[in-house]
Amino acid sequence: MPNASAFTILVDEANSGRRLDLFVASRIAACSRAVATGLIRNGAIRVQGVVKKPGYRVRPGDAISGRIPPPVPVDLVPEPLDINILFEDKHLIVVNKPPDLVVHPAPGHATGTLVHGLLYHCPDLEGIGGELRPGIVHRLDKDTSGVLVVAKNAVAHQHLARQFKSRKIKKDYLALVHGEMQAESGTISLPVGRHPTDRKRMSTASRKSRGAETSWQVRKRLWGATLIDLKLKTGRTHQIRVHCTAMGHPIVGDTVYGGRRTRKTIAKGNGLSDIFAAVTRQMLHARRLEFVHPATETTVTFEAPVPRDMQELIRALRLQKQSPPNPDNS
């Protein structure tokens, strides 16, 4: 149904007793529950011509009518940023996010974000949540690189969001961690939540945490570090970084969760000091993403090549392992 069109829906027996906001959202593809709730509260959607609350339980024969307003422009200025696009159609866009790029505007990052760039590169946005903006379904940390999918319209946004919520989307990562992993593979299942004292960090010792599971497998053993593949069953904030630190193998370059380990490694003076001292961000890369396309209902997979700085670090550590320095000369 076009965003600007009026509608009238008759409630049948099968939907009797449903909340009004949920019923409207389920029947109008371009209208999320949040948008429906706002329109109902504002009187833009009514039952039998009468204003009701979003939680009103619909009854058979109720005539629900209203109009979905056209999306309004967001208060952001599009910016012609250089975006590495892996795939794009009228429903979604898949990008290879470089390190040092913030996904969404936030305090300290009012401009130059991926959203600003997408507003410029995607003039065919249809609107998400009543606004002309790209639909950010998931995010990557500023210093994490790799595959990111963004919806162009409300239907695609809701479809992808459901896949993330039901854990049907497959996310594979590549990380370089400190030390040598003893086992070849494993799974870490520790809940993740806000740090008890530092609200900017996450922790496995949070008072209010949610279940989190990360599986890993060794890809390559290097000098003083291990390159591992990771798969996420859940998608908690900073999950991989927190779990790797909990295993005693924080991600190389992670100053938030592995700062102490990084400083100790650099201070050893065993050949790693110069290499690790040059690292400016956490070595974490979202290398692969698999999901069901919202329109075609086919499974699609996208991969992002390992960024240059990570490749160079891996190469340096591999060479160091092949020709370790003389301890007497380090």
Side-chain angles (χ1 to χ4, degrees):
M1 179 179 295
N3 273 352
S5 64
F7 66 88
T8 298
I9 309 171
L10 292 178
V11 179
D12 56 16
E13 290 285 350
N15 286 288
S16 178
R18 294 189 67 185
R19 285 177 57 103
L20 176 59
D21 53 359
L22 287 174
F23 176 70
V24 171
S26 68
R27 295 297 299 273
I28 301 178
C31 182
S32 67
R33 179 184 178 183
V35 171
T37 298
L39 293 174
I40 292 167
R41 285 175 175 165
N42 292 333
I45 295 178
R46 305 187 178 201
V47 180
Q48 310 287 93
V50 178
V51 176
K52 297 289 187 179
K53 293 183 179 180
Y56 167 78
R57 300 291 176 173
V58 299
R59 303 170 182 175
D62 278 348
I64 301 169
S65 59
R67 181 183 296 273
I68 306 299
V72 298
V74 294
D75 188 21
L76 295 174
V77 178
E79 300 177 30
L81 304 180
D82 184 18
I83 299 177
N84 184 352
I85 299 174
L86 301 175
F87 173 82
E88 181 178 10
D89 61 16
K90 66 180 182 179
H91 307 285
L92 53 84
I93 181 170
V94 181
V95 303
N96 177 15
K97 189 190 89 64
D100 202 38
L101 177 64
V102 176
V103 172
H104 199 277
H109 300 283
T111 61
T113 71
L114 178 62
V115 167
H116 287 88
L118 289 174
L119 285 172
Y120 180 88
H121 287 281
C122 302
D124 57 340
L125 290 176
E126 296 181 20
I128 309 291
E131 296 181 334
L132 283 173
R133 60 180 175 85
I136 304 299
V137 188
H138 65 129
R139 302 185 187 185
L140 296 177
D141 295 335
K142 172 177 175 286
D143 289 333
T144 299
S145 57
V147 187
L148 189 79
V149 60
V150 180
K152 286 187 174 183
N153 55 57
V155 176
H157 186 265
Q158 293 171 23
H159 194 289
L160 291 170
R162 285 195 296 269
Q163 291 185 63
F164 272 102
K165 187 175 182 179
S166 61
R167 302 176 183 175
K168 292 181 179 179
I169 289 185
K170 296 180 180 179
K171 297 171 286 184
D172 296 348
Y173 287 76
L174 187 67
L176 189 64
V177 299
H178 283 285
E180 184 170 332
M181 307 287 283
Q182 296 302 309
E184 288 298 322
S185 62
T187 298
I188 180 167
S189 298
L190 288 174
V192 174
R194 289 290 171 188
H195 193 280
T197 58
D198 186 349
R199 301 303 297 171
K200 293 183 179 181
R201 299 176 62 195
M202 306 301 286
S203 171
T204 57
S206 173
R207 298 186 185 94
K208 294 182 179 180
S209 58
R210 301 173 67 188
E213 183 175 313
T214 307
S215 61
W216 58 271
Q217 184 170 1
V218 171
R219 173 179 282 205
K220 192 170 297 184
R221 299 183 187 279
L222 305 165
W223 182 257
T226 307
L227 186 66
I228 59 174
D229 286 311
L230 303 111
K231 294 181 181 294
L232 293 183
K233 185 175 181 180
T234 53
R236 311 304 179 207
T237 301
H238 297 177
Q239 177 176 321
I240 291 178
R241 297 165 65 187
V242 171
H243 274 178
C244 285
T245 297
M247 289 191 294
H249 298 278
I251 296 175
V252 172
D254 190 344
T255 58
V256 175
Y257 297 102
R260 183 178 301 175
R261 177 65 178 268
T262 300
R263 289 192 294 272
K264 285 184 177 180
T265 302
I266 293 175
K268 285 182 178 180
N270 62 352
L272 291 175
S273 56
D274 291 340
I275 296 177
F276 283 141
V279 177
T280 59
R281 58 106 178 179
Q282 72 247 11
M283 291 290 106
L284 179 61
H285 177 65
R287 70 177 187 85
R288 186 173 180 271
L289 190 67
E290 180 179 299
F291 57 90
V292 175
H293 192 285
T296 65
E297 294 293 338
T298 59
T299 299
V300 291
T301 303
F302 301 98
E303 296 190 16
V306 179
R308 181 176 298 178
D309 64 340
M310 195 170 183
Q311 289 184 35
E312 292 176 349
L313 179 57
I314 293 170
R315 187 181 302 111
L317 293 173
R318 184 177 67 246
L319 293 175
Q320 196 83 329
K321 183 176 179 64
Q322 295 171 352
S323 303
N326 187 335
D328 296 332
N329 297 329
S330 59

